[in-house]
Amino acid sequence: MYPLFLGIDIGTKRIKCTVIDRSGHVRESSQIDIYDLVENPKPGWFQRDALKIWERLKTSLSKLSLLKSVEAVCIDATSGTIIPINSHGSPIYPSLLYNDERAVEESKELRKISGRTRDFEKFLPIAPYLVIPKVMWLLKHIGRKKIYRILHENDFIVYKLTEEIVTSPNIAGKSHIDFTTKSYIEEIYSDANVPLELMPRIKPIGAIIGRVTRQASRETGIPENTPVVNGVTDATAGDIATGIIHPGQACLSIGATTTLHAITEKLIPDEKRRFYYKPYLYGRYVAGGATNAGTTILDAYSNLFRMSLEELESLAEKIPPGSEGLLMQPEWTGTRIPRCYPNVKGFIYGLTEQNCTPGHIYRSALESISLVTSLLVEIVEEVTQTEISEIRTCGGGSKSMLLNQIIADSTNKKVLQVKSEASVGSAILASLPIVGDFKKIIEQIVSVERVFSPKSENLLLYNTLKRKLTKFVEFLASNF
């Protein structure tokens, strides 16, 4: 039997486990829902129990019949989610999720006290959801003595499997690392009074960072001594699975959040501090960012109208571009694009008796996700001086034919709907120590389902709506 490789994807809504062979063929997969574990105890707070995630993962793994034949495993998880543990490796507080914004005051404090952090905003804008502000919050509210280490969500699963505390430069991308040395920026940690020893060691993407222990093997069914390969975030795993490698290619992962990553070879600072860079493969970087616009609002409207997403899409297809005057702000938990404004929540503008229908509102939601995406594409192209030639979409939201077409229209880019999963990207990474260069696997595994060409007649309308949305957001941020 060919070697088999396991990829584990821990997202917002579900865990998915996928087994591939060295040719890149998916042999089997399993998944389990975890969205019910997300807690929202206060406005802007988003957390979940790391041990319950571990238990759900074990359940998902138990559904795999080929698990005993797996020769390497790699894990991806949500970006910027952190877990404080004690010296026994047990979580002492819920995971602070990637979109948790309780550290608003700490992010303001960090900007005030650290000149190095302010300067680094050209590569990583200061925001409450970054790792250092969250750690500052934990130190204030839990205390230094109780915290042994701060782990990213991937790192915690790696620790449970191997008892090793280690991360990758991609996973630590929101933890203020130097892109050249691939190490934490000591001056920033010193300014923030965050001890560096709290953070996991950084090792290269694709390196073997440990092996499955006997205890972990008993719990998960993964064979003892199976190599665990250093991974990436869920969005970057999606990048790998869609096959973006070359400058000018971009991946749009449409899940609970929508994340754009464009491949670039150069680090060009964004003087306006609007997006981030992260280390990628082959010495390249991804430039882009996560937005708070995604399938969460689509699911919310599905629940509100008591209609399936398919039924709503069918209605939305009958509505003309522009939704007859409706304009929506889709980042309900606070905007990240065009800038980070945690207090600017979602809104709908332009409601009339005519357009207050499920079809109009759902189309406006799809258009609003596309407008935010278009803004981010525009910003990334401007700063990196790299024209994006194509956008490859993946994630649950990419199943929408209408959304893909609107993205093509609003960005004026060719959109390729790719059949892929982040768990496949992690499985590809798991193969690296054995297979070596996995470009051939990517070529074999990437399946373009459909190509959407932009309709030029809609571009002017969407550009107008994009500017109007930006003005609304800036006005609300300045006045409320």
Side-chain angles (χ1 to χ4, degrees):
M1 181 180 287
Y2 285 115
L4 300 178
F5 309 102
L6 170 64
I8 296 171
D9 166 48
I10 300 174
T12 303
K13 294 186 175 182
R14 61 188 58 87
I15 293 170
K16 186 158 188 178
C17 303
T18 298
V19 176
I20 68 169
D21 60 28
R22 68 181 303 152
S23 297
H25 297 120
V26 174
R27 300 294 298 274
E28 69 172 343
S29 63
S30 67
Q31 68 179 41
I32 189 168
D33 291 340
I34 54 173
Y35 198 40
D36 61 298
L37 299 181
V38 176
E39 301 170 347
N40 181 210
K42 294 183 181 181
W45 290 32
F46 296 95
Q47 60 190 46
R48 63 188 179 194
D49 188 321
L51 289 178
K52 289 182 180 178
I53 294 293
W54 173 246
E55 292 301 319
R56 297 280 176 96
L57 171 58
K58 291 193 294 184
T59 300
S60 186
L61 290 170
S62 69
K63 300 175 184 177
L64 298 175
S65 62
L66 296 174
L67 196 59
K68 294 295 184 184
S69 301
V70 163
E71 295 194 17
V73 59
C74 183
I75 303 104
D76 70 78
T78 55
S79 174
T81 296
I82 60 170
I83 303 161
I85 63 169
N86 61 22
S87 58
H88 302 292
S90 299
I92 57 174
Y93 198 82
S95 308
L96 302 190
L97 287 172
Y98 60 91
N99 56 344
D100 185 279
E101 294 183 340
R102 71 187 69 192
V104 170
E105 293 306 315
E106 287 74 17
S107 64
K108 292 177 181 177
E109 180 184 349
L110 182 60
R111 177 179 283 116
K112 181 179 179 181
I113 63 178
S114 178
R116 182 74 174 89
T117 306
R118 292 193 298 272
D119 184 60
F120 198 70
E121 282 196 274
K122 299 169 186 176
F123 303 99
L124 182 66
I126 297 173
Y129 55 80
L130 296 183
V131 169
I132 289 182
K134 288 178 182 174
V135 177
M136 292 168 67
W137 188 94
L138 288 169
L139 290 171
K140 287 179 183 178
H141 293 84
I142 296 178
R144 172 67 181 89
K145 291 183 179 179
K146 294 181 180 179
I147 302 174
Y148 175 67
R149 289 286 188 274
I150 298 290
L151 304 185
H152 305 93
E153 193 165 41
N154 310 51
D155 308 337
F156 180 72
I157 301 302
V158 167
Y159 176 77
K160 294 293 287 183
L161 289 174
T162 67
E163 297 183 359
E164 298 288 343
I165 295 178
V166 64
T167 195
S168 80
N170 180 274
I171 296 168
K174 292 180 181 175
S175 301
H176 285 88
I177 65 165
D178 184 294
F179 294 119
T180 303
T181 64
K182 306 295 191 296
S183 59
Y184 300 106
I185 302 174
E186 294 186 19
E187 184 180 348
I188 294 177
Y189 280 79
S190 176
D191 290 344
N193 200 26
V194 173
L196 264 179
E197 60 264 27
L198 289 178
M199 306 306 294
R201 293 172 297 145
I202 298 176
K203 290 192 174 183
I205 298 168
I208 294 175
I209 51 176
R211 294 180 180 272
V212 175
T213 65
R214 181 173 298 177
Q215 177 61 33
S217 178
R218 288 172 179 165
E219 290 191 53
T220 64
I222 302 173
E224 184 180 354
N225 290 321
T226 299
V228 176
V229 176
N230 212 6
V232 292
T233 66
D234 54 350
T236 305
D239 299 337
I240 295 168
T242 58
I244 64 167
I245 297 176
H246 305 292
Q249 293 181 313
C251 172
L252 188 70
S253 178
I254 311 169
T257 60
T258 298
T259 302
L260 176 80
H261 282 169
I263 305 301
T264 181
E265 292 181 316
K266 299 176 291 184
L267 288 170
I268 300 176
D270 176 21
E271 300 295 339
K272 295 182 181 179
R273 305 171 300 181
R274 294 163 294 181
F275 68 89
Y276 60 69
Y277 288 93
K278 280 187 178 182
Y280 192 54
L281 307 172
Y282 304 110
R284 293 170 179 156
Y285 305 92
V286 290
T291 77
N292 285 330
T295 57
T296 299
I297 67 170
L298 305 182
D299 293 336
Y301 285 126
S302 175
N303 292 332
L304 175 66
F305 296 125
R306 297 182 180 180
M307 301 173 72
S308 70
L309 295 176
E310 292 75 20
E311 289 172 320
L312 287 169
E313 176 139 345
S314 179
L315 293 174
E317 287 171 346
K318 299 178 176 67
I319 307 301
S323 304
E324 296 189 305
L326 279 188
L327 181 61
M328 190 178 299
Q329 199 293 90
E331 297 185 88
W332 287 3
T333 58
T335 69
R336 295 193 191 183
I337 300 297
R339 289 183 183 274
C340 181
Y341 297 125
N343 293 326
V344 178
K345 309 301 184 184
F347 61 77
I348 303 177
Y349 169 81
L351 279 168
T352 65
E353 184 177 0
Q354 181 184 13
N355 64 28
C356 188
T357 73
H360 284 84
I361 291 172
Y362 193 75
R363 182 180 180 103
S364 183
L366 296 177
E367 289 179 330
S368 68
I369 293 170
S370 302
L371 294 177
V372 171
T373 297
S374 180
L375 277 168
L376 190 50
V377 167
E378 190 177 273
I379 291 166
V380 169
E381 285 188 321
E382 171 199 329
V383 174
T384 64
Q385 301 172 20
T386 301
E387 181 181 358
I388 294 175
S389 57
E390 63 180 33
I391 298 173
R392 300 188 177 199
T393 60
C394 66
S398 70
K399 296 175 183 177
S400 166
M401 300 295 106
L402 182 56
L403 178 55
N404 279 291
Q405 185 60 59
I406 296 173
I407 291 169
D409 294 350
S410 62
T411 61
N412 200 32
K413 306 289 182 187
K414 180 173 66 176
V415 170
L416 284 66
Q417 182 193 38
V418 179
K419 184 179 180 181
S420 70
E421 300 280 354
S423 58
V424 173
S426 284
I428 292 172
L429 269 181
S431 75
L432 185 58
I434 296 174
V435 174
D437 192 341
F438 47 62
K439 286 181 182 178
K440 288 185 178 179
I441 290 182
I442 290 176
E443 290 172 359
Q444 292 171 334
I445 205 169
V446 172
S447 173
V448 176
E449 300 281 283
R450 189 169 176 180
V451 177
F452 299 83
S453 298
K455 297 177 181 177
S456 57
E457 64 268 25
N458 295 331
L459 182 60
L460 179 59
L461 169 64
Y462 285 131
N463 279 342
T464 301
L465 291 177
K466 185 166 54 179
R467 303 305 164 210
K468 184 180 287 188
L469 178 60
T470 300
K471 288 180 179 179
F472 278 148
V473 169
E474 296 288 357
F475 174 79
L476 290 172
S478 300
N479 292 277
F480 294 93

